[in-house]
Amino acid sequence: VTLGDAGRGQAIFEGKGDCTSCHRIMGNGSRLAPDLSTIGAIRGAGALRASLLDPTGSMLPANRPVRAVTRGGEVINGRRLNEDTYTIQLIDENERLRSLDKADLRELAAGTTSPMPPATDVLDEQEVADVLTYLLSLKGLD
C-alpha cells in the first residue's frame, strides 16, 4: 500500500473526488453513504485501499443500497440504517429518515453493487494514495 499526504487527501476528498456528496466526516458532508469520521480507527490501509479501488467487491452487507416499493407504487431508494422483523428504517436519496412497515411494501431488495464509483475513475494513483492517507488519519478524535 502506497501512502501519500493527508492534507492533499482531504482537499481531494472534498474537491475533485466529490466524496462529501455522499459521505460525511465530522459533521460535514452528506448522510447518503456511511459516515467516515472514525474509519481510520476501524479499518486498515489494505481494506481502505480495496474499498477505494473496488467499492462493490469490498462493500459490507450492512452498506448495500436498498430499494423499497410501497403498495401504492412509491419507489424509495436509500441506505438501511436499521431493520427488524416488521420494519426497516432507511435514509432516502433526499437524506430523509424513513421508517417503513414491511407489511406495507410490495417489494424490498438490497442492491448488489455499490453506488460509489472506483476512485480510479476520477483520481490518479498519487491522488488515491493521498485520499487513503487522509482516511487513515480519521480516528474520530477531532
Side-chain angles (χ1 to χ4, degrees):
V1 173
T2 302
L3 297 179
D5 178 87
R8 282 194 315 255
Q10 180 177 3
I12 294 164
F13 186 93
E14 294 170 355
K16 181 179 180 180
D18 194 29
C19 306
T20 56
S21 67
C22 294
H23 290 283
R24 187 172 189 82
I25 294 176
M26 305 305 280
N28 297 315
S30 173
R31 292 176 175 90
L32 295 178
D35 187 313
L36 300 178
S37 298
T38 60
I39 197 69
I42 298 167
R43 299 183 76 192
L48 282 175
R49 186 170 191 280
S51 291
L52 289 170
L53 300 180
D54 181 15
T56 295
S58 56
M59 183 171 53
L60 298 173
N63 293 332
R64 292 170 60 187
V66 174
R67 180 177 188 268
V69 181
T70 66
R71 285 187 186 175
E74 179 186 7
V75 177
I76 304 165
N77 293 303
R79 181 172 59 92
R80 177 187 355 231
L81 299 175
N82 193 29
E83 184 175 3
D84 60 31
T85 304
Y86 304 103
T87 64
I88 183 168
Q89 293 76 42
L90 53 86
I91 187 162
D92 71 13
E93 295 171 311
N94 297 311
E95 293 192 52
R96 289 180 299 178
L97 296 174
R98 307 285 298 261
S99 182
L100 306 170
D101 289 326
K102 290 181 178 178
D104 294 335
L105 299 178
R106 187 166 61 193
E107 179 185 327
L108 179 61
T112 58
T113 58
S114 174
M116 181 175 138
T120 51
D121 284 3
V122 178
L123 308 177
D124 64 31
E125 268 305 309
Q126 182 58 56
E127 291 168 326
V128 171
D130 292 339
V131 170
L132 173 61
T133 304
Y134 170 58
L135 293 174
L136 286 170
S137 76
L138 299 174
K139 310 287 188 194
L141 303 174
D142 294 338

